[in-house]
Amino acid sequence: MSTAEIQPSQPAQPGSTDVPELVVGFDLDMTLIDSRPGIKAVWDLLAAETGVAIDTELVVSRLGPPLTWEMANWFPADQVDAMVARYREHYPEYAITGSLPLPGVEESLAAVRALRGRTVVVSAKYGPSVELHLQHLGLDVDEPVGDLHGAEKGTALREHQATIYVGDHTADIDGARAAGAVAVSVATGPFTADELRAYGADVVLNDLTEFPAWLDEYVLEQRLSALMERLSSYESLVVAFSGGADSAFLLAAAARAIGPANVVAATAVSPSLPVAELEPAAHFADSIGVRHVTPHTHEMDREGYQANAGDRCYFCKAELVETLQPIADEFGIKAIATGTNADDAIAGFRPGIRAAFERGAITPLRDARLTKAQIREASRSWGLETSDKPAAACLSSRIAYGIRITPNLLARVDRAEMAVRNHLTPYGVQNVRVRDLGESASIEIDADLLGTVDNSALVELVRAEGFAAAAVDARGFRSGSMNERLTNPDRYR
């Protein structure tokens, strides 16, 4: 959907976004795998069986077109189908184990995954053989498609909504064009980089080792463009600004898109906000010239929040948006935005997202499909001081579900975390959580610090703040680890 079609007063519907899902298509032979040794072995076997002098080196030098085309170069037309059938009989035994992944394959597939994308392999190779290759090499591909060549590949690419197609052959460029996808060529097959470029490839890479960096840059540019277009469609905006990396980036983006005078940063002040967060939030807003307001929220007055069941975040976010609405009304602003990102939206346990949506809040970062990693990368490129700021969820997320939340419990956790963080500052600590389990506390710190610091010292610091017992979690810091203790999280999704 074009952002020009979006009315600023209407939030995006659940699941809708401003950019299409990232779906990347890949060719197989000489793009993902070097299948030449295995294919040569099968052709050598055919030559031995039939007595036909087949130049198998020539055959594997021009992989890409359908098998029937190549077979017709060596056998009469009336024998082609039989020879193809015989070739396919031998293929599983002789060709699969002889093929190897090309450099950069696993990293390229992982790069798509990291961007919350899907992958599809579209090949001219016989469909069952495609699947055998992928299974043998353990390549994590969402959908394998075979028996398509050249522009015909566009059919499968369109069906799977691929926006990028990667291949080594000029026929792969035809397939990308037919699907309206970006044609990315790798010079690992029968054509040189110059030949692929001359044929019309949109992007030419030496090999797949260069693909992850290109993909990261390309997708980030697309998503940032979508974000700025969406933000520009609003005359003014209130940003729910916690001071964290996500909401800070959203605030900076809004200021760039519509001007700082048209943006209000609202940081909710309550017992659930760590004391150390408020001053940096004010400084950040001031540094980009945005008005900063600090309304007090009263989530503690909501029974659902105090009860601290699995849906606690719903009541917190409801209180936040309902508190910000009068501020928006006061400034004549029609939209309230939260820093929900694409990772949050698929995390599977975010009742607060539903509460904000029900109250009309918008989620520009999620709608642009920006992941946490992309937000940090873009923040670094913009010189934002929050780019590497550790995640800092509200203090209530430290209280085990079922323990009734009180200001005293939140203050105790805040003091304990500050004591641990101060103690570990010389070690370069990033993440610290003190989880209140009732009679005891669980201390989570960066996993790479485990074994390098004195656990007993951390335990004593936490006990000094009023916990009867404490222990350092041997698994290290894990965002949302309290959710692991829920017996039935699905009921709160």
Side-chain angles (χ1 to χ4, degrees), residues 242-246 274 277 372 376 385-393 398 421 428-433 446 477 479:
S242 68
D246 298 331
E277 292 297 314
K372 185 79 169 185
R376 291 194 185 280
E385 60 195 48
T386 53
S387 62
D388 295 317
K389 184 175 182 179
R398 279 72 148 172
R421 183 175 293 280
V429 69
Q430 290 292 308
N431 297 288
V432 173
R433 294 289 187 274
D446 298 315
F477 166 74
S479 180

Side-chain angles (χ1 to χ4, degrees), residues 102-453:
L102 285 166
V105 169
E106 292 185 2
E107 294 82 357
S108 295
L109 296 177
V112 178
R113 289 268 183 264
L115 294 169
R116 301 299 182 187
R118 293 189 293 113
T119 54
V120 55
V121 166
V122 183
S123 171
K125 187 183 293 295
Y126 183 49
S129 297
V130 172
E131 295 187 32
L132 286 173
H133 276 295
L134 296 175
Q135 291 169 4
H136 175 71
L137 295 175
L139 298 181
D140 185 15
V141 172
D142 292 300
E143 191 70 33
V145 179
D147 301 298
L148 294 175
H149 176 67
E152 294 176 340
K153 292 185 174 184
T155 303
L157 294 171
R158 285 194 304 273
E159 178 185 346
H160 293 283
Q161 300 180 319
T163 55
I164 298 169
Y165 185 58
V166 187
D168 65 284
H169 202 283
T170 54
D172 298 325
I173 299 173
D174 294 335
R177 284 175 175 168
V182 176
V184 178
S185 293
V186 286
T188 47
F191 296 93
T192 67
D194 287 341
E195 288 171 331
L196 293 166
R197 194 174 291 110
Y199 193 80
D202 297 305
V203 178
V204 178
L205 307 174
N206 289 316
D207 55 41
L208 277 183
T209 63
E210 299 176 359
F211 180 74
W214 173 84
L215 183 69
D216 286 346
E217 182 178 353
Y218 173 79
V219 173
L220 180 57
E221 181 181 346
Q222 297 295 307
R223 293 177 178 179
L224 286 178
S225 177
L227 172 68
M228 299 308 283
E229 186 176 359
R230 163 62 74 96
L231 292 174
S232 296
S233 69
Y234 296 91
E235 293 182 358
S236 53
L237 199 63
V238 171
V239 174
F241 177 46
S242 68
D246 298 331
S247 60
F249 178 71
L250 175 60
L251 189 65
R256 288 187 175 209
I258 59 177
N262 298 311
V263 181
V264 174
T267 303
V269 177
S270 77
S272 64
L273 176 73
V275 172
E277 292 297 314
L278 188 56
E279 184 178 347
H283 171 77
F284 183 88
D286 182 66
S287 71
I288 61 174
V290 169
R291 181 194 297 266
H292 186 227
V293 297
T294 54
H296 286 260
T297 53
H298 303 281
E299 55 268 28
M300 206 68 72
D301 294 343
R302 298 188 179 231
E303 172 57 29
Y305 184 86
Q306 284 191 24
N308 193 25
D311 57 353
R312 180 198 65 243
C313 291
Y314 180 93
F315 301 98
C316 180
K317 195 68 75 174
E319 172 70 15
L320 173 64
V321 178
E322 290 174 15
T323 298
L324 298 189
Q325 189 59 60
I327 295 174
D329 294 341
E330 177 186 349
F331 289 105
I333 298 175
K334 295 182 179 179
I336 299 171
T338 72
T340 299
N341 64 44
D343 292 333
D344 296 331
I346 66 169
F349 189 75
R350 291 289 191 274
I353 293 177
R354 176 166 57 89
F357 170 77
E358 290 173 354
R359 287 153 181 80
I362 63 171
T363 55
L365 301 179
R366 183 200 73 90
D367 298 340
R369 296 187 184 273
L370 284 161
T371 66
K372 185 79 169 185
Q374 287 183 309
I375 290 166
R376 291 194 185 280
E377 177 60 29
S379 296
R380 281 190 287 272
S381 70
W382 288 6
L384 302 183
E385 60 195 48
T386 53
S387 62
D388 295 317
K389 184 175 182 179
C394 81
L395 291 172
S396 295
S397 68
R398 279 72 148 172
I399 312 298
Y401 292 115
I403 298 176
R404 194 169 184 83
I405 292 176
T406 68
N408 287 339
L409 289 185
L410 297 180
R412 181 172 68 166
V413 165
D414 195 17
R415 293 194 309 269
E417 283 195 2
M418 285 193 291
V420 173
R421 183 175 293 280
N422 289 339
H423 181 80
L424 295 179
T425 296
Y427 295 88
V429 69
Q430 290 292 308
N431 297 288
V432 173
R433 294 289 187 274
V434 174
R435 310 289 191 185
D436 187 338
L437 306 181
E439 294 300 319
S440 64
S442 175
I443 306 168
E444 296 178 13
I445 62 175
D446 298 315
D448 59 358
L449 294 184
L450 294 172
T452 66
V453 300

